[in-house]
Amino acid sequence: MSTTKGLEGIVAAESKISSIINDQLTYVGYTIDDLAEHASFEEVVFLLWFKRLPNKNELAKFDEELFENMTISNAIVEHFKSYDIHNVHPMAALRTAISLLGLYDSEADDMSDEANNRKAIRLQAKVAAIVSAFSRIRDGKEVVQPKKGLSYAANFLYMLNGKEPIDLEVEAINKALVLHADHELNASTFTARVCVATLSDIYSGITSAISALKGPLHGGANEAVMNMLLEIGEVDNAIPYIKDKMANKEKIMGMGHRVYKTGDPRAKHLKKMSKELTARHGMEKWYEMSIKIEDYIKEEKGLPANVDFYSASVYHSLGIKHDLYTPIFAMSRFSGWIAHILEQYENNRLIRPRAEYVGPQNQVYVDINKR
């Protein structure tokens, strides 16, 4: 029996959702460059779930359904208020809140296609409300309800900050959501598929995916990048800091990617947004620092930046608290997780790999008095 550590290079499923071929990421055959430049996040969600782009009427109906479900019950709000919210990581709060949603959903165990599609809408809409509500409650502020006529990206920023965002800020969040929406069989997506392959419900699948994304080797990388930039402090400190890290063989977060050889195709879009947003808000040093680090590591190690590297300075320039970076990643990736869960249900087979045993053999039980 041959084994591959971390399942690297192993093809574990067939999918029509996204692909990574020759360092090009596509969603249902559309390149990420095409979608990042032209599509709204709502169009991308529809594309991932239904395997085609919506027409004008379909998109209007889809937008309306998302808006109508973009609120959370008082039970979730009171839940957030019931514990020491300042000592709870937002990803832990999100994980628990999604599980709670399943308790209050009368259709939670209805496995029909129609019910699952309705739950998909509710989940994608409510995650934006949950993340923003958690942040505001933690800051001692009132929860803000979504505003009709705003896009998904704009409404998230509106519910988070209590004021309508400018166009550049909406563009940045929309691009970030599009770029993070799906990424083939990454760790959290695979976790979701393994979970629902047992025919568990969609809330269980999403909760398990959130748990996987919470880890710093997956969703937490952009938060770690911003912490690094803050630790560096000034542009002139960047290279000495990185040299010291490399001398100590410490990992530089946000650089390189397991499945891309020539570079993450998503990074350039957030790099551009980082340049524009940091300039708009007088925070150019974070972009300049990032450029210096990327250029140096690319030259020394041949590792270009990945999508997490520039998303850090994008979110920071928007005034978003650093521990919300991963929940925003999750908010986007809900669309991909749901797409994969629905696809798994369509042609399900229990996912049950084997393990190669490498422990001791031929042991004989010894009475406890003789050990």
Side-chain angles (χ1 to χ4, degrees):
M1 186 186 299
S2 62
T3 61
T4 302
K5 192 172 183 180
L7 296 180
E8 185 169 355
I10 299 296
V11 176
E14 292 184 347
S15 178
K16 297 178 180 178
I17 299 168
S18 67
S19 68
I20 302 169
I21 301 172
N22 296 326
D23 280 4
Q24 179 60 263
L25 173 63
T26 69
Y27 297 165
V28 197
Y30 293 89
T31 69
I32 196 64
D33 292 335
D34 196 9
L35 295 172
E37 289 301 322
H38 302 110
S40 68
F41 178 59
E42 294 90 328
E43 287 179 287
V44 167
V45 177
F46 190 101
L47 172 66
L48 293 174
W49 293 1
F50 302 107
K51 312 301 182 296
R52 62 181 179 83
L53 287 169
N55 62 35
K56 191 173 183 178
N57 291 334
E58 289 172 328
L59 182 60
K61 182 175 182 292
F62 194 63
D63 288 348
E64 183 66 23
E65 289 175 336
L66 286 170
F67 173 77
E68 288 174 353
N69 286 279
M70 201 176 281
T71 56
I72 53 176
S73 70
N74 193 55
I76 301 294
V77 173
E78 291 305 313
H79 168 73
F80 285 155
K81 292 178 178 179
S82 70
Y83 51 69
D84 187 0
I85 200 166
H86 296 288
N87 292 318
V88 174
H89 194 283
M91 282 298 285
L94 177 60
R95 177 188 62 206
T96 304
I98 295 302
S99 190
L100 277 174
L101 284 183
L103 289 179
Y104 299 120
D105 192 334
S106 61
E107 291 189 304
D109 294 317
D110 185 341
M111 299 296 282
S112 67
D113 291 345
E114 295 78 12
N116 280 331
N117 285 336
R118 288 191 292 270
K119 285 179 281 187
I121 288 282
R122 288 197 284 272
L123 279 162
Q124 187 65 63
K126 291 183 189 306
V127 63
I130 288 169
V131 174
S132 58
F134 174 88
S135 179
R136 291 188 67 82
I137 291 168
R138 183 174 60 175
D139 291 343
K141 299 175 181 177
E142 291 297 314
V143 173
V144 174
Q145 300 303 319
K147 187 171 184 178
K148 195 170 182 62
L150 295 183
S151 67
Y152 188 97
N155 248 323
F156 170 67
L157 289 173
Y158 176 69
M159 291 188 293
L160 185 67
N161 299 320
K163 62 179 182 179
E164 287 195 41
I166 63 173
D167 290 345
L168 182 62
E169 293 170 338
V170 175
E171 180 187 358
I173 288 295
N174 185 78
K175 279 191 192 301
L177 294 176
V178 168
L179 293 167
H180 286 94
D182 196 56
H183 205 234
E184 204 210 52
L185 277 192
N186 55 85
S188 55
T189 299
F190 187 59
T191 301
R193 292 191 75 134
V194 169
C195 178
V196 302
T198 68
L199 295 185
S200 190
D201 64 279
I202 192 169
Y203 288 100
S204 297
I206 295 295
T207 302
S208 66
I210 293 169
S211 301
L213 188 70
K214 185 173 180 288
L217 292 183
H218 190 6
N222 51 12
E223 183 181 349
V225 170
M226 197 61 228
N227 289 337
M228 176 184 71
L229 295 179
L230 288 169
E231 192 174 339
I232 293 169
E234 300 297 335
V235 176
D236 290 343
N237 297 336
I239 301 307
Y241 177 94
I242 295 300
K243 285 182 177 179
D244 186 57
K245 286 280 187 184
M246 291 172 62
N248 292 322
K249 301 189 183 306
E250 295 180 49
K251 183 177 178 64
I252 309 299
M253 300 303 288
M255 304 305 299
H257 197 287
R258 181 183 285 190
V259 300
Y260 295 116
K261 304 305 179 187
T262 60
D264 188 333
R266 302 167 295 176
K268 61 180 176 288
H269 298 284
L270 290 181
K271 183 176 182 177
K272 178 175 179 288
M273 293 311 307
S274 174
K275 182 178 182 179
E276 293 181 25
L277 275 169
T278 54
R280 176 70 170 76
H281 294 292
M283 300 181 181
E284 293 92 339
K285 74 174 183 178
W286 304 118
Y287 175 75
E288 293 167 8
M289 195 183 301
S290 300
I291 288 289
K292 276 184 172 289
I293 294 169
E294 182 188 19
D295 289 346
Y296 182 78
I297 294 180
K298 191 185 297 183
E299 182 179 336
E300 293 294 317
K301 295 288 186 179
L303 296 175
N306 60 41
V307 70
D308 296 309
F309 192 69
Y310 284 101
S311 65
S313 50
V314 166
Y315 296 157
H316 182 75
S317 63
L318 290 171
I320 296 172
K321 290 182 172 62
H322 302 156
D323 61 359
L324 292 180
Y325 291 6
T326 310
I328 293 172
F329 187 160
M331 187 170 73
S332 168
R333 190 57 60 84
F334 262 54
S335 60
W337 290 338
I338 290 168
H340 281 270
I341 287 170
L342 297 177
E343 186 176 68
Q344 186 67 38
Y345 285 149
E346 286 174 4
N347 187 26
N348 187 57
R349 181 171 176 80
L350 181 68
I351 299 172
R352 202 291 188 194
R354 298 291 306 279
E356 182 179 8
Y357 179 71
V358 295
Q361 299 186 33
N362 303 318
Q363 301 209 84
V364 178
Y365 181 83
V366 178
D367 186 271
I368 193 166
N369 295 315
K370 297 180 180 179
R371 292 179 215 159

